[in-house]
mmCIF file of all heavy atoms in Angstrom:
data_model
loop_
_atom_site.group_PDB
_atom_site.id
_atom_site.type_symbol
_atom_site.label_atom_id
_atom_site.label_comp_id
_atom_site.label_asym_id
_atom_site.label_seq_id
_atom_site.Cartn_x
_atom_site.Cartn_y
_atom_site.Cartn_z
ATOM 1 N N ARG E 268 -5.798 18.500 7.415
ATOM 2 C CA ARG E 268 -6.537 19.615 7.975
ATOM 3 C C ARG E 268 -7.359 20.416 6.953
ATOM 4 O O ARG E 268 -7.891 21.411 7.276
ATOM 5 C CB ARG E 268 -5.435 20.528 8.599
ATOM 6 C CG ARG E 268 -4.793 19.837 9.768
ATOM 7 C CD ARG E 268 -3.963 20.761 10.584
ATOM 8 N NE ARG E 268 -3.419 20.048 11.716
ATOM 9 C CZ ARG E 268 -2.201 19.898 12.062
ATOM 10 N NH1 ARG E 268 -1.250 20.553 11.300
ATOM 11 N NH2 ARG E 268 -1.834 19.255 13.088
ATOM 12 N N GLN E 269 -7.262 19.933 5.716
ATOM 13 C CA GLN E 269 -7.974 20.661 4.728
ATOM 14 C C GLN E 269 -9.444 20.105 4.529
ATOM 15 O O GLN E 269 -9.602 18.864 4.782
ATOM 16 C CB GLN E 269 -7.317 20.554 3.320
ATOM 17 C CG GLN E 269 -5.953 21.043 3.282
ATOM 18 C CD GLN E 269 -5.278 20.655 2.002
ATOM 19 O OE1 GLN E 269 -5.849 20.249 1.014
ATOM 20 N NE2 GLN E 269 -3.902 20.794 2.023
ATOM 21 N N PRO E 270 -10.436 21.062 4.251
ATOM 22 C CA PRO E 270 -11.792 20.430 4.180
ATOM 23 C C PRO E 270 -11.877 19.611 2.872
ATOM 24 O O PRO E 270 -11.122 19.674 1.936
ATOM 25 C CB PRO E 270 -12.624 21.697 4.016
ATOM 26 C CG PRO E 270 -11.719 22.787 3.680
ATOM 27 C CD PRO E 270 -10.360 22.404 4.169
ATOM 28 N N LEU E 271 -12.806 18.668 2.908
ATOM 29 C CA LEU E 271 -13.080 17.726 1.757
ATOM 30 C C LEU E 271 -13.730 18.478 0.719
ATOM 31 O O LEU E 271 -14.799 19.129 0.947
ATOM 32 C CB LEU E 271 -13.835 16.511 2.190
ATOM 33 C CG LEU E 271 -13.232 15.605 3.335
ATOM 34 C CD1 LEU E 271 -14.199 14.486 3.608
ATOM 35 C CD2 LEU E 271 -11.836 15.076 2.869
ATOM 36 N N THR E 272 -13.268 18.327 -0.460
ATOM 37 C CA THR E 272 -13.850 18.959 -1.707
ATOM 38 C C THR E 272 -13.802 18.002 -2.838
ATOM 39 O O THR E 272 -12.815 17.238 -3.004
ATOM 40 C CB THR E 272 -13.212 20.233 -2.054
ATOM 41 O OG1 THR E 272 -11.889 20.042 -2.328
ATOM 42 C CG2 THR E 272 -13.427 21.337 -0.993
ATOM 43 N N THR E 273 -14.734 18.083 -3.683
ATOM 44 C CA THR E 273 -14.629 17.251 -4.970
ATOM 45 C C THR E 273 -13.429 17.604 -5.778
ATOM 46 O O THR E 273 -13.061 18.812 -5.854
ATOM 47 C CB THR E 273 -15.902 17.495 -5.766
ATOM 48 O OG1 THR E 273 -17.155 17.071 -4.979
ATOM 49 C CG2 THR E 273 -15.896 16.476 -7.017
ATOM 50 N N GLY E 274 -12.727 16.540 -6.168
ATOM 51 C CA GLY E 274 -11.564 16.824 -6.954
ATOM 52 C C GLY E 274 -10.225 16.760 -6.179
ATOM 53 O O GLY E 274 -9.147 16.642 -6.688
ATOM 54 N N ARG E 275 -10.352 16.773 -4.844
ATOM 55 C CA ARG E 275 -9.155 16.723 -3.977
ATOM 56 C C ARG E 275 -8.641 15.363 -4.102
ATOM 57 O O ARG E 275 -9.264 14.324 -4.166
ATOM 58 C CB ARG E 275 -9.552 17.049 -2.592
ATOM 59 C CG ARG E 275 -8.370 17.743 -1.882
ATOM 60 C CD ARG E 275 -8.734 18.174 -0.551
ATOM 61 N NE ARG E 275 -7.988 17.418 0.460
ATOM 62 C CZ ARG E 275 -8.336 17.178 1.622
ATOM 63 N NH1 ARG E 275 -9.458 17.751 2.133
ATOM 64 N NH2 ARG E 275 -7.582 16.442 2.460
ATOM 65 N N SER E 276 -7.286 15.173 -4.085
ATOM 66 C CA SER E 276 -6.672 13.923 -4.306
ATOM 67 C C SER E 276 -5.466 13.714 -3.305
ATOM 68 O O SER E 276 -4.906 14.737 -2.789
ATOM 69 C CB SER E 276 -6.186 13.679 -5.735
ATOM 70 O OG SER E 276 -5.247 14.597 -6.044
ATOM 71 N N ALA E 277 -4.957 12.509 -3.269
ATOM 72 C CA ALA E 277 -3.742 12.242 -2.509
ATOM 73 C C ALA E 277 -3.107 10.960 -3.194
ATOM 74 O O ALA E 277 -3.873 10.123 -3.813
ATOM 75 C CB ALA E 277 -4.064 11.856 -1.052
ATOM 76 N N GLN E 278 -1.883 10.834 -3.089
ATOM 77 C CA GLN E 278 -1.212 9.735 -3.701
ATOM 78 C C GLN E 278 0.003 9.243 -2.890
ATOM 79 O O GLN E 278 0.511 10.022 -2.069
ATOM 80 C CB GLN E 278 -0.809 10.026 -5.223
ATOM 81 C CG GLN E 278 0.275 10.972 -5.337
ATOM 82 C CD GLN E 278 0.667 11.183 -6.817
ATOM 83 O OE1 GLN E 278 -0.363 11.221 -7.675
ATOM 84 N NE2 GLN E 278 1.867 11.395 -7.127
ATOM 85 N N ILE E 279 0.443 8.092 -3.134
ATOM 86 C CA ILE E 279 1.556 7.448 -2.505
ATOM 87 C C ILE E 279 2.199 6.593 -3.552
ATOM 88 O O ILE E 279 1.695 6.007 -4.386
ATOM 89 C CB ILE E 279 1.138 6.688 -1.253
ATOM 90 C CG1 ILE E 279 2.312 6.105 -0.449
ATOM 91 C CG2 ILE E 279 0.202 5.491 -1.678
ATOM 92 C CD1 ILE E 279 2.019 5.418 0.921
ATOM 93 N N THR E 280 3.576 6.481 -3.433
ATOM 94 C CA THR E 280 4.368 5.641 -4.288
ATOM 95 C C THR E 280 5.138 4.676 -3.368
ATOM 96 O O THR E 280 5.734 5.092 -2.379
ATOM 97 C CB THR E 280 5.372 6.506 -5.196
ATOM 98 O OG1 THR E 280 4.651 7.431 -5.985
ATOM 99 C CG2 THR E 280 6.191 5.534 -6.008
ATOM 100 N N ARG E 281 5.062 3.406 -3.800
ATOM 101 C CA ARG E 281 5.689 2.389 -2.973
ATOM 102 C C ARG E 281 6.230 1.334 -3.884
ATOM 103 O O ARG E 281 5.623 0.967 -4.901
ATOM 104 C CB ARG E 281 4.662 1.680 -2.061
ATOM 105 C CG ARG E 281 5.060 0.435 -1.374
ATOM 106 C CD ARG E 281 5.750 0.743 -0.026
ATOM 107 N NE ARG E 281 6.353 -0.562 0.465
ATOM 108 C CZ ARG E 281 5.888 -1.340 1.395
ATOM 109 N NH1 ARG E 281 4.715 -0.985 1.907
ATOM 110 N NH2 ARG E 281 6.522 -2.407 1.819
ATOM 111 N N THR E 282 7.426 0.783 -3.510
ATOM 112 C CA THR E 282 8.064 -0.246 -4.334
ATOM 113 C C THR E 282 8.005 -1.517 -3.410
ATOM 114 O O THR E 282 8.498 -1.505 -2.289
ATOM 115 C CB THR E 282 9.611 -0.050 -4.640
ATOM 116 O OG1 THR E 282 9.595 1.158 -5.447
ATOM 117 C CG2 THR E 282 10.087 -1.171 -5.375
ATOM 118 N N PHE E 283 7.333 -2.626 -3.925
ATOM 119 C CA PHE E 283 7.227 -3.813 -3.178
ATOM 120 C C PHE E 283 8.340 -4.825 -3.550
ATOM 121 O O PHE E 283 8.682 -4.863 -4.678
ATOM 122 C CB PHE E 283 5.898 -4.506 -3.365
ATOM 123 C CG PHE E 283 4.734 -3.716 -2.781
ATOM 124 C CD1 PHE E 283 3.958 -2.987 -3.689
ATOM 125 C CD2 PHE E 283 4.442 -3.839 -1.411
ATOM 126 C CE1 PHE E 283 2.926 -2.246 -3.044
ATOM 127 C CE2 PHE E 283 3.471 -3.122 -0.893
ATOM 128 C CZ PHE E 283 2.659 -2.316 -1.764
ATOM 129 N N ASN E 284 8.927 -5.420 -2.537
ATOM 130 C CA ASN E 284 10.014 -6.378 -2.803
ATOM 131 C C ASN E 284 9.679 -7.831 -2.409
ATOM 132 O O ASN E 284 8.546 -8.051 -1.811
ATOM 133 C CB ASN E 284 11.288 -5.971 -2.049
ATOM 134 C CG ASN E 284 11.120 -5.828 -0.614
ATOM 135 O OD1 ASN E 284 10.581 -6.710 -0.026
ATOM 136 N ND2 ASN E 284 11.567 -4.752 -0.047
ATOM 137 N N PRO E 285 10.458 -8.832 -2.703
ATOM 138 C CA PRO E 285 10.116 -10.136 -2.321
ATOM 139 C C PRO E 285 9.811 -10.333 -0.856
ATOM 140 O O PRO E 285 8.912 -11.232 -0.521
ATOM 141 C CB PRO E 285 11.259 -11.018 -2.805
ATOM 142 C CG PRO E 285 11.787 -10.164 -3.974
ATOM 143 C CD PRO E 285 11.649 -8.852 -3.513
ATOM 144 N N ALA E 286 10.484 -9.575 -0.044
ATOM 145 C CA ALA E 286 10.169 -9.717 1.396
ATOM 146 C C ALA E 286 8.722 -9.239 1.774
ATOM 147 O O ALA E 286 8.089 -9.855 2.660
ATOM 148 C CB ALA E 286 11.248 -8.903 2.206
ATOM 149 N N ASP E 287 8.281 -8.317 1.140
ATOM 150 C CA ASP E 287 6.909 -7.799 1.321
ATOM 151 C C ASP E 287 5.861 -8.986 0.946
ATOM 152 O O ASP E 287 4.897 -9.129 1.648
ATOM 153 C CB ASP E 287 6.554 -6.646 0.445
ATOM 154 C CG ASP E 287 7.372 -5.428 0.830
ATOM 155 O OD1 ASP E 287 7.597 -5.236 2.037
ATOM 156 O OD2 ASP E 287 7.847 -4.746 -0.087
ATOM 157 N N ILE E 288 6.137 -9.613 -0.140
ATOM 158 C CA ILE E 288 5.218 -10.785 -0.616
ATOM 159 C C ILE E 288 5.307 -11.873 0.339
ATOM 160 O O ILE E 288 4.281 -12.384 0.802
ATOM 161 C CB ILE E 288 5.705 -11.166 -2.084
ATOM 162 C CG1 ILE E 288 5.175 -10.203 -3.056
ATOM 163 C CG2 ILE E 288 4.967 -12.497 -2.344
ATOM 164 C CD1 ILE E 288 5.749 -8.847 -3.142
ATOM 165 N N GLN E 289 6.540 -12.188 0.922
ATOM 166 C CA GLN E 289 6.685 -13.164 1.865
ATOM 167 C C GLN E 289 5.941 -12.789 3.149
ATOM 168 O O GLN E 289 5.250 -13.641 3.760
ATOM 169 C CB GLN E 289 8.168 -13.492 2.200
ATOM 170 C CG GLN E 289 8.394 -14.444 3.140
ATOM 171 C CD GLN E 289 7.985 -15.889 2.722
ATOM 172 O OE1 GLN E 289 8.202 -16.257 1.622
ATOM 173 N NE2 GLN E 289 7.378 -16.642 3.629
ATOM 174 N N ALA E 290 5.977 -11.509 3.591
ATOM 175 C CA ALA E 290 5.365 -11.156 4.787
ATOM 176 C C ALA E 290 3.757 -11.232 4.589
ATOM 177 O O ALA E 290 3.063 -11.688 5.572
ATOM 178 C CB ALA E 290 5.674 -9.746 5.143
ATOM 179 N N LEU E 291 3.300 -10.943 3.474
ATOM 180 C CA LEU E 291 1.897 -11.108 3.232
ATOM 181 C C LEU E 291 1.409 -12.560 3.349
ATOM 182 O O LEU E 291 0.338 -12.904 3.872
ATOM 183 C CB LEU E 291 1.461 -10.558 1.822
ATOM 184 C CG LEU E 291 -0.065 -10.672 1.372
ATOM 185 C CD1 LEU E 291 -0.951 -9.926 2.362
ATOM 186 C CD2 LEU E 291 -0.242 -10.325 -0.023
ATOM 187 N N HIS E 292 2.233 -13.445 2.645
ATOM 188 C CA HIS E 292 2.039 -14.827 2.710
ATOM 189 C C HIS E 292 2.076 -15.346 4.135
ATOM 190 O O HIS E 292 1.165 -16.171 4.543
ATOM 191 C CB HIS E 292 3.082 -15.637 1.925
ATOM 192 C CG HIS E 292 3.054 -17.103 2.041
ATOM 193 N ND1 HIS E 292 2.045 -17.898 1.494
ATOM 194 C CD2 HIS E 292 3.797 -17.999 2.669
ATOM 195 C CE1 HIS E 292 2.221 -19.061 1.726
ATOM 196 N NE2 HIS E 292 3.221 -19.162 2.493
ATOM 197 N N ALA E 293 2.909 -14.875 5.012
ATOM 198 C CA ALA E 293 3.034 -15.397 6.419
ATOM 199 C C ALA E 293 1.875 -14.930 7.216
ATOM 200 O O ALA E 293 1.435 -15.792 8.026
ATOM 201 C CB ALA E 293 4.285 -14.823 7.057
ATOM 202 N N VAL E 294 1.274 -13.863 7.011
ATOM 203 C CA VAL E 294 0.135 -13.407 7.862
ATOM 204 C C VAL E 294 -1.226 -13.713 7.265
ATOM 205 O O VAL E 294 -2.162 -13.942 7.951
ATOM 206 C CB VAL E 294 0.150 -11.883 8.093
ATOM 207 C CG1 VAL E 294 1.382 -11.511 8.858
ATOM 208 C CG2 VAL E 294 -0.117 -11.080 6.873
ATOM 209 N N SER E 295 -1.249 -14.037 5.864
ATOM 210 C CA SER E 295 -2.562 -14.325 5.317
ATOM 211 C C SER E 295 -2.640 -15.629 4.623
ATOM 212 O O SER E 295 -3.740 -16.057 4.193
ATOM 213 C CB SER E 295 -2.945 -13.231 4.298
ATOM 214 O OG SER E 295 -2.068 -13.388 3.113
ATOM 215 N N GLY E 296 -1.572 -16.254 4.269
ATOM 216 C CA GLY E 296 -1.604 -17.540 3.529
ATOM 217 C C GLY E 296 -1.824 -17.223 1.990
ATOM 218 O O GLY E 296 -1.952 -18.125 1.220
ATOM 219 N N ALA E 297 -1.757 -15.948 1.562
ATOM 220 C CA ALA E 297 -1.855 -15.649 0.153
ATOM 221 C C ALA E 297 -0.731 -16.323 -0.618
ATOM 222 O O ALA E 297 0.358 -16.555 -0.096
ATOM 223 C CB ALA E 297 -1.743 -14.207 -0.068
ATOM 224 N N PRO E 298 -1.077 -16.834 -1.788
ATOM 225 C CA PRO E 298 -0.035 -17.426 -2.597
ATOM 226 C C PRO E 298 1.203 -16.661 -2.878
ATOM 227 O O PRO E 298 1.143 -15.402 -2.911
ATOM 228 C CB PRO E 298 -0.754 -17.782 -3.909
ATOM 229 C CG PRO E 298 -2.136 -17.560 -3.650
ATOM 230 C CD PRO E 298 -2.369 -16.674 -2.518
ATOM 231 N N LEU E 299 2.342 -17.252 -2.841
ATOM 232 C CA LEU E 299 3.587 -16.572 -3.040
ATOM 233 C C LEU E 299 3.747 -16.299 -4.597
ATOM 234 O O LEU E 299 3.426 -17.187 -5.379
ATOM 235 C CB LEU E 299 4.850 -17.409 -2.595
ATOM 236 C CG LEU E 299 4.980 -17.431 -1.111
ATOM 237 C CD1 LEU E 299 6.059 -18.517 -0.790
ATOM 238 C CD2 LEU E 299 5.362 -16.061 -0.652
ATOM 239 N N SER E 300 4.098 -15.145 -4.998
ATOM 240 C CA SER E 300 4.319 -14.836 -6.379
ATOM 241 C C SER E 300 5.738 -14.419 -6.605
ATOM 242 O O SER E 300 6.353 -13.735 -5.767
ATOM 243 C CB SER E 300 3.380 -13.619 -6.704
ATOM 244 O OG SER E 300 3.765 -13.207 -8.047
#
């Protein structure tokens, strides 16, 4: 709801686990790491 202004920011923190990598592989065929 805030107007856009130069310098405004947003962030997110996320921890990826092996199941996330497997899910990406399942939907995209991306190599498993």
Side-chain angles (χ1 to χ4, degrees):
R268 296 191 176 124
Q269 300 172 16
L271 299 179
T272 56
T273 302
R275 213 172 113 203
S276 66
Q278 68 181 39
I279 185 172
T280 299
R281 167 90 192 259
T282 302
F283 292 102
N284 60 46
D287 297 319
I288 285 63
Q289 181 64 41
L291 176 66
H292 173 73
V294 298
S295 71
L299 286 172
S300 172

